[in-house]
Amino acid sequence: MLFETDGMMDQQKPDLEQLKQDLSAAIDVATGLDTLDAVRVHALGKNGVVTNLLKTLGGMSPEERKVEGPRINGLRSEIAGAIEAKKDALAAEELAERMASETLDLSLPPKDTPKGSVHPVSQVMDELAEIFADLGFAVATGPEIEDDWHNFTALNIPESHPARAMHDTFYFGENQMRDGMPMMLRTHTSPVQIRTMTSGEPPFRIIAPGRTYRSDSDATHTPMFHQVEGLVIDRDITMGHLKWTLETFVKAFFERDDIVLRFRPSYFPFTEPSAEIDMGFSVENGRRIVGGDPNGPDGGWMELGGSGMVNRHVIAACNLDPDEWQGFAFGCGIDRLAMLKYGMDDLRAFFDGDLRWIEHYGFSALDVPTLSAGVGA
Ligand code: DAH
């Protein structure tokens, strides 16, 4: 219908009313910006029907032009206005359609993307913090690069002490001394005891989980491993408090009430008296389980860590009066706690960085351990 108007300009008196109706109808039915633009070119383009009508004004007599001029110009601006209005309507429609179809739900994680997980060692450290926080312990930290005084001397391990040789220490070179002291990667978390006692006022109740280093590597040792240190300094603290604290801890950690501890006399320079702590185990479904009767068939004892009453030399080295302040300390390997609790049997796999291992043994970032919800998996 639209293109029937093409020949109209040949006529003497083009039917402007008809042309307007045809163009308006074409504008009306245009369903997209493309078709609308085709109508615009057809009407108002260089060779458009309305443009060509305007060109006829030049050949008219002044009287005729006076009449036809406003009519044709009126038609042109009416059509141009209608096209603009339709264009806005189509654009609004298109936008509404896109808004409806291109929804983006920010409350959902993207599908099929790797999510990452929490390493069992980190998980166990969180569990330790949760359990000991409930007993009133704060979490303390110290540097992994330590000096001789904090790592050894203040802990009652003087220079010639054989315990120094036992630690297989990673020393920094002669030219890396600080204040005349050799520097090293800390061989245990015990220096955090010193840093705690020298930087605040007693009483203290802290645990210090963290990385430790020794030049040792086989099936059960890695050069970097994790320990947790415990320290309580107050008045009238006894070995009884130590035993209760460790018993309460292992029962909460392994989520069993039938765990028995055994204290074996031992020696550590920084405690007096000193004890090694063993946990009773039994065998369930062919697997060693912490808890149950250690004297039953296949039962026995496995080591948890070292402990004792803080040596008065250590308390004095931290400028506290050992006659006023006493306490207990303990130190355990975290990696072994994780292995026992979550059934991993190769320590070296912990630090291989194998994605398949962490995907299998890792924990969800949303699985935050709490005492009420359980500190387990
Ligand atoms: N620092 C000791 C080690 O690495 C472990 C230890 C034993 C820590 C007895 C203590 C303790 O706090 O009282 O072998």
Side-chain angles (χ1 to χ4, degrees), residues 151 155 157 166-167 187-191 193 212 214 225 227-231 242 266-277 303 305-311 328-333:
N151 197 80
L155 286 162
I157 314 175
M166 276 162 51
H167 274 203
T187 58
H188 50 177
T189 43
S190 301
Q193 290 188 32
T212 47
R214 285 181 208 179
F225 56 104
Q227 284 192 337
V228 59
E229 194 77 13
L231 175 71
L242 166 65
S266 185
Y267 172 77
F268 300 103
F270 30 88
T271 44
E272 181 59 36
S274 303
E276 258 163 289
I277 320 139
E303 205 181 305
S307 68
M309 299 303 291
V310 180
N311 192 307
F328 66 76
F330 61 86
C332 313

